[in-house]
Every structure is written in structure tokens, then in C-alpha cells.
């Protein structure tokens, strides 16, 4: 459960970081920023902030924003409904991010990108200054993500 | 045919506009910026500058850059190989752009976006300050685009 205060603070941080990356949002989008603590209650350590621009049944585009040293834990995007699973490209916009995939560490700085094949375990963590990362992908179904840590609940629960 | 000088000048303009929008490129990407005059030889009036980040058989992401008042002429993305044709979302990042689709004019300012269904005629033109537009889409096959003006040749020819 994410407290109202933590949720608002994370949305404000995300909007500020996107603005600092030159990314303009509408007012409606600002309110739609998703704050995910993966049900672990340690947002600044394990969590992710997201804004989904578009998600059709064919493609998806999002911005991901991370606090300094915040980690998105290991997961994969499994096959579903005739799709081999989500294929995604991360492009670093601001700060730095380290990605781990197949036991390999890939560091991304602004302007650098990496494509992750479907159904492939990966995790990532921002550097000391946090990170803004654009994600381009096939259709996204976050509810189907398979996390290695069985305690994880992907859908954020925010204090009413 | 685009002259070497015009090509270099348009690539430099594009890189500068992307930088002004906070978008960082690698050196390799800078050299890959595509300058399309649609075979008409009137680049500043009818043309488009593009950088493709990724184009898999499932999704695509590009940046489009337009000179002030530059137009991308009317075209559609037809069905191919079992696909209903490219579906695309334009998101304005900098400047302004007007899009025409189904006889309707949609103006986009930074932070605003529009999704264009497959196989639907559309054209667009930048405002007085030019435009930077992110394009998120299903797989892109520019070589299959159908332009209304039969003189148009989509693949750019640059002076050797």
C-alpha cells in the first residue's frame, strides 16, 4: 500500500524529472502518472514511476522515471494471446541506468538504447542521479508480467 | 535529388532541433538522420527529416523534425503481409504541427498527441517555428507508403 503522501510526492518528482528532460505533459497526463511499489512498501529502493502515452493492441510507448538508485526488480514478459510476449526498447533520456539481462550488465547513458526480446528475464536500476527512460514496445500487458520475487504484486495499491 | 549541401544542412538543423527539445543522440545516429524531399526538389516547402530509433517487425519509434511551415504530403499506410497497415501515434515535442485526417484539422502543441488508424489518408505541416514530433507505431515500411501526388518518390536520393 502506497500512502497518499508518497504517491503525490512520487508523481511530482516524476513530472519534474520529465520536465527537466524537456518532456511536456498535459495536465491530465500529470494525474495519470503511475507509481508502482510492487507491493513491497519500499518505493525509493524497489519501485518505478511510469507514464503511458499510448498502448494499442499493436504497440506501446511509455516514459519510465526512477529515483536515484531505485530498482525495477527482475521480471519477464511472457507469451499471451498468440503473441510471443512483449518486446521492448529502452532508450535513456536523462541520468543513467544499468540493465541486467542474461547475466550481462548493460549501462545506458542519454541517447543510448537496448532492445529486450520477449519472455527474457531482466531488471534495471537507476544511477546516482536517477533516470528518465523512454520505452517503445509491442502491446503492453503489465498485468501479465512474471516477477522472480513471488511477493511482488504489480498493480499499485494507493491509500484511498 | 538532394544536394550534398542541402542534405548536410538539413541534418544539422535536425540535430539542433532535437537537442533543443532535450533529445540526446549518439554520433552514429546523427549521421543516420534521413532527409526526404519526396523527389520534388522543394525540401523546405515539402519534405521531412527523420531519425528512426528502432523498427522491429512489431513496433517502431522515430523522431520527425520539420522546418518552419514544411509539409509532409498526403499519404496512407496500406495493408501488407497480413498487417492492416501501419497505425501511428504522433506526439508533439516542440513547436506546433497541424494534421489533417478525414477532412479534419487537428492542431498539436507540445505534450499533445493523435493516433492515426491504418490505411487512412493524412498529411501534416509544421507551424511558424518548425516542429519536433515523436512517432510511435506498429512496424514501419516507408517503402509501401501510398502518396496522393503521383510524382512523389519516397526514398531520398542524395547527390553522390
Amino acid at each position: 500500500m502506497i500512502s497518499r503522501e508518497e504517491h503525490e510526492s512520487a508523481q511530482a518528482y516524476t513530472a519534474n524529472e520529465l520536465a527537466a528532460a524537456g518532456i511536456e505533459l498535459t495536465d491530465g497526463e500529470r494525474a495519470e502518472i503511475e507509481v508502482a511499489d510492487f507491493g513491497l512498501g519500499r518505493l525509493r529502493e524497489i519501485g518505478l514511476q511510469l507514464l503511458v502515452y499510448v498502448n494499442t493492441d499493436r504497440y506501446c510507448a511509455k516514459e519510465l522515471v526512477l529515483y536515484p538508485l531505485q530498482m525495477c526488480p527482475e521480471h519477464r514478459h511472457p507469451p499471451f494471446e498468440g503473441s510471443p510476449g512483449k518486446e521492448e526498447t529502452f532508450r535513456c533520456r536523462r541520468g543513467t541506468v544499468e540493465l541486467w539481462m542474461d547475466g550481462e550488465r548493460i549501462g545506458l547513458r542519454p541517447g543510448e538504447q537496448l532492445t529486450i526480446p520477449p519472455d527474457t528475464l531482466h531488471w534495471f536500476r537507476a544511477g546516482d542521479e536517477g533516470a528518465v527512460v523512454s520505452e517503445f514496445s509491442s502491446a503492453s500487458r503489465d498485468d501479465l508480467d512474471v516477477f522472480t520475487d513471488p511477493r511482488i504484486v504489480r498493480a499499485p495499491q494507493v491509500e484511498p
Side-chain angles (χ1 to χ4, degrees), chain A:
Chain A
M1 182 78 77
I2 303 168
S3 72
R4 291 294 332 156
E5 196 178 359
E6 195 168 43
H7 187 257
E8 272 169 36
S9 164
Q11 282 191 327
Y13 170 80
T14 301
N16 282 343
E17 286 298 298
L18 291 173
I23 296 170
E24 303 232 20
L25 307 186
T26 62
D27 291 340
E29 287 174 332
R30 223 172 295 264
E32 284 164 20
I33 292 169
E34 181 185 342
V35 179
D37 76 344
F38 301 106
L40 300 177
R42 295 141 61 188
L43 180 68
R44 298 292 179 110
E45 178 190 355
I46 304 175
L48 184 65
Q49 292 68 237
L50 307 90
L51 176 67
V52 179
Y53 289 140
V54 60
N55 187 19
T56 77
D57 57 359
R58 303 178 69 189
Y59 61 90
C60 179
K62 306 177 183 179
E63 301 290 353
L64 313 179
V65 176
L66 294 119
Y67 281 111
L69 304 178
Q70 194 183 29
M71 181 182 72
C72 176
E74 189 180 71
H75 64 286
R76 60 186 169 86
H77 306 292
F80 68 96
E81 294 167 13
S83 153
K86 183 188 177 206
E87 176 186 4
E88 62 192 7
T89 300
F90 290 129
R91 184 176 177 92
C92 183
R93 297 295 190 177
R94 177 175 158 84
T96 57
V97 65
E98 59 169 326
L99 273 127
W100 287 83
M101 178 175 71
D102 290 334
E104 194 188 354
R105 179 187 186 281
I106 303 105
L108 297 181
R109 290 175 301 180
E112 296 177 337
Q113 65 184 46
L114 177 74
T115 295
I116 295 169
D119 207 22
T120 302
L121 281 171
H122 60 284
W123 64 277
F124 51 95
R125 186 187 189 216
D128 290 335
E129 296 170 12
V132 175
V133 177
S134 297
E135 183 190 295
F136 315 123
S137 73
S138 56
S140 177
R141 284 283 301 273
D142 290 345
D143 57 312
L144 300 180
D145 290 351
V146 178
F147 285 85
T148 304
D149 182 340
R151 298 169 303 170
I152 283 177
V153 179
R154 174 63 186 83
Q157 285 197 297
V158 182
E159 188 183 52

